[in-house]
Amino acid sequence: MIALVNDKIAFISHPKASLHRMPFPKPHLESFENPLRYQMAERYLEQSDVLSEMIRVKAPRATLKDLLLVHSPYLVDTVEMMSEIGSGQLGESAYASPDLIRAVLLTVGGSMKGVDMILAGDAKHAFVLMRPPGHHASTSNAMGLCYFNNIAIATKHALQDETIHRVSIIDFDDHHGNGTSEIFYTNPNVQYISFHEYDFENFGLGHYDELGYGEGKGTNINIPLLETSPDISYESAISRIMIPLVKSFKPDLILVSAGYDAHYADPVGNMDIDSRTYWRFGREIDKLVDTTNAKGSVWVLEGGYNPFTIGPSIRASLEGLAGNTQPILEDQIDREVNKLIVDANDEIIAKVLETIKPFLKN
Ligand SMILES: [Zn+2]
């Protein structure tokens, strides 16, 4: 009997993920990672009807033990303790609130649930609309608005399943996911591909010669694009780097650190893309699941701090995943493209490929 292909998309959220709020008034960076971005995104998606075909799932709560799949007991204990106190600094741009531990356990739980649904064959893709984000959190340190690394915990959780040997993580957040990169830097079974704005302030990491270490060499791929990079540069990096490298890695599962702060209207990132590129990521990752025979993809929200553009951006990704044509959305305005930036990015893309090539296994 031929099994029916399940093309469903699971949409995982939880109203309590909106509770945590850092104690900063505007215009501090910390004020942008706030409940409003979650609420506005969910409301936009509900009104646009894109969720009607999807399976709505309420995120379950993870356990403190689940956090130890990736993180040190020190970090787990400290976040728990400071949540009880209800305030205090945990790391650079990472502060406690009374709702922090509840929000992070639900976000980790939602991310693991996404993996479970794909492995059970309940859905082809899962989108986890939860917060706070995770890709800056390293084994022992909270930082950059992140406390626990949701995508890394979901990856380790997936690798515990006997059918999952290799995982590709695609990270298109504006910033380099230094935490995720560090956690898997020596792991040959996890491929990490990061599109990010080259930014010397971003923990000094994300260069294209950081390739992984030991057995993991060749599995860490950084694509540092220049400030104000347009859609065309992302398209070029997607087709020249992401697609061939994921195909050659042959993952059993694709995880996506879905950050929407490279949008031109984002108050934190400095890139110049719109929802057309976020549709492209959805479309290409759906096709990669098919061509690599992966079980599916799990998307976990990272950045994206303009409450008016995060909704259309996520909608575009979901339409791409669903195989729909690119929707015309309100944020898609014509913007002047700086050819010098495009040419320089093409050179960077060529250098990324040249640097990684000797270390590719296939
Ligand atoms: Zn970011």
Side-chain angles (χ1 to χ4, degrees):
M1 193 175 89
I2 299 168
L4 285 173
V5 178
N6 186 340
D7 278 343
K8 290 273 184 202
I9 298 175
F11 185 81
I12 302 171
S13 60
H14 196 296
K16 289 191 173 141
S18 69
L19 289 178
H20 163 66
R21 180 195 289 273
M22 278 188 270
F24 282 90
K26 288 175 185 174
H28 288 271
L29 165 71
E30 289 82 358
S31 71
F32 291 116
E33 206 296 284
N34 60 34
L36 185 66
R37 60 190 287 263
Y38 169 89
Q39 292 156 347
M40 292 278 280
E42 191 171 52
R43 186 171 301 178
Y44 179 92
L45 295 170
E46 277 166 354
Q47 288 178 353
S48 69
D49 209 30
V50 71
L51 303 183
S52 60
E53 295 288 302
M54 298 181 188
I55 311 165
R56 295 289 298 267
V57 179
K58 201 169 169 185
R61 188 184 164 111
T63 63
L64 293 172
K65 199 168 157 239
D66 293 327
L67 305 176
L68 296 171
L69 279 171
V70 163
H71 295 288
S72 65
Y74 164 78
L75 182 63
V76 175
D77 289 347
T78 309
V79 173
E80 193 189 14
M81 200 181 299
M82 290 189 57
S83 296
E84 272 169 33
I85 296 167
S87 63
Q89 184 166 10
L90 282 151
E92 191 182 333
S93 298
Y95 293 79
S97 79
D99 297 306
L100 176 60
I101 194 74
R102 186 160 41 174
V104 293
L105 286 174
L106 285 169
T107 303
V108 170
S111 307
M112 293 169 70
K113 176 72 180 173
V115 169
D116 290 341
M117 290 190 72
I118 306 304
L119 297 188
D122 293 337
K124 182 181 183 187
H125 305 291
F127 193 101
V128 184
L129 183 74
M130 308 280 293
R131 57 177 285 280
H135 74 154
H136 293 308
S138 65
T139 307
S140 299
N141 289 294
M143 67 182 97
L145 316 173
C146 302
Y147 304 87
F148 297 115
N149 197 311
N150 309 309
I151 207 89
I153 297 169
T155 301
K156 283 275 183 85
H157 176 60
L159 286 166
Q160 288 184 326
D161 188 275
E162 59 187 17
T163 65
I164 303 295
H165 307 290
R166 293 150 84 80
V167 174
S168 290
I169 302 174
I170 295 165
D171 184 337
F172 59 74
D173 185 274
D174 181 88
H175 305 98
H176 176 242
N178 58 291
T180 315
S181 176
E182 180 209 282
I183 290 159
F184 298 113
Y185 207 65
T186 60
N187 191 330
N189 303 317
V190 179
Q191 178 188 54
Y192 178 66
I193 302 179
S194 175
F195 296 73
H196 52 265
E197 174 187 344
Y198 171 72
D199 178 357
F200 61 90
E201 290 178 331
N202 189 20
F203 309 110
L205 292 166
H207 303 188
Y208 57 72
D209 54 0
E210 295 158 20
L211 302 172
Y213 185 77
E215 286 187 4
K217 197 151 191 173
T219 59
N220 190 86
I221 299 110
N222 286 327
I223 314 171
L225 299 171
L226 296 178
E227 188 178 304
T228 72
S229 289
D231 297 278
I232 192 170
S233 289
Y234 275 78
E235 195 165 330
S236 178
I238 288 170
S239 60
R240 291 171 63 194
I241 302 176
M242 182 186 94
I243 294 173
L245 264 57
V246 171
K247 277 185 183 168
S248 85
F249 190 70
K250 302 186 185 72
D252 301 306
L253 184 68
I254 298 176
L255 297 194
V256 183
S257 265
Y260 293 92
D261 44 359
H263 193 283
Y264 70 85
D266 192 274
V268 176
N270 304 297
M271 296 305 221
D272 196 19
I273 63 175
D274 65 29
S275 56
R276 285 171 280 203
T277 290
Y278 295 127
W279 175 82
R280 172 69 57 196
F281 274 110
R283 196 65 222 96
E284 296 302 341
I285 290 170
D286 178 53
K287 286 198 264 178
L288 274 173
V289 165
D290 293 339
T291 51
T292 62
N293 220 10
K295 289 189 166 24
S297 79
V298 180
W299 296 50
V300 180
L301 182 68
E302 300 284 0
Y305 304 105
N306 182 331
F308 294 100
T309 55
I310 187 168
S313 299
I314 296 172
R315 177 183 168 183
S317 293
L318 292 171
E319 302 262 16
L321 280 178
N324 297 338
T325 52
Q326 183 190 288
I328 307 294
L329 300 175
E330 58 269 38
D331 70 313
Q332 295 166 7
I333 54 170
D334 287 333
R335 302 176 309 283
E336 208 171 307
V337 171
N338 183 340
K339 197 173 175 306
L340 292 174
I341 297 283
V342 175
D343 291 347
N345 278 335
D346 280 340
E347 272 181 48
I348 291 167
I349 289 166
K351 281 184 182 162
V352 173
L353 287 168
E354 190 186 304
T355 311
I356 197 81
K357 210 170 173 187
F359 302 99
L360 295 179
K361 302 257 157 37
N362 300 302

